[in-house]
């Protein structure tokens, strides 16, 4: 199982992959603005997440004796190595 909350890997988990919460909140604020300006919520288009975060914790990988492939590290938005 790979949790979608990036704090999981920051708190010592091996890996997390999920939506970019800041991007999602920013886009939600745009919707709130549009509604406050008079648009009907039912008329607004449904949007899916477009940005995702992958956080890899190399310290945990080392403790578990795992080698993370370079291709994963290149795709990660954050690599923890301390």
């Amino acid at each position: 199982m790979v949790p979608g909350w990036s704090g999981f890997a920051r708190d010592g988990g091996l890996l997390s992959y999920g939506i970019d919460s800041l991007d999602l909140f920013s886009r939600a604020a745009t919707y709130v603005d549009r509604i406050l300006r008079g648009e009907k919520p039912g008329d607004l288009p449904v949007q899916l997440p477009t940005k995702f975060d992958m956080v890899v914790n190399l310290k945990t990988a080392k403790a578990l004796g795992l080698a993370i492939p370079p291709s994963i590290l290149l795709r990660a938005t954050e690599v923890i190595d301390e």
Side-chain angles (χ1 to χ4, degrees):
M1 179 179 95
V2 177
W5 177 58
S6 59
F8 174 80
R10 290 186 189 110
D11 290 341
L14 177 63
L15 174 80
S16 66
Y17 180 75
I19 59 171
D20 181 336
S21 298
L22 292 176
D23 179 60
L24 193 64
F25 294 146
S26 174
R27 292 171 56 198
T30 302
Y31 268 52
V32 170
D33 180 59
R34 290 173 69 178
I35 291 168
L36 292 175
R37 292 177 186 267
E39 290 189 55
K40 294 180 182 176
D43 293 341
L44 297 175
V46 174
Q47 293 186 6
L48 298 175
T50 57
K51 286 183 154 184
F52 296 86
D53 282 330
M54 183 189 314
V55 181
V56 179
N57 191 325
L58 290 179
K59 182 179 177 182
T60 301
K62 183 178 178 182
L64 294 172
L66 299 173
I68 305 296
S71 60
I72 297 292
L73 296 176
L74 288 172
R75 291 187 176 127
T77 53
E78 182 179 350
V79 176
I80 300 167
D81 191 20
E82 41 183 64

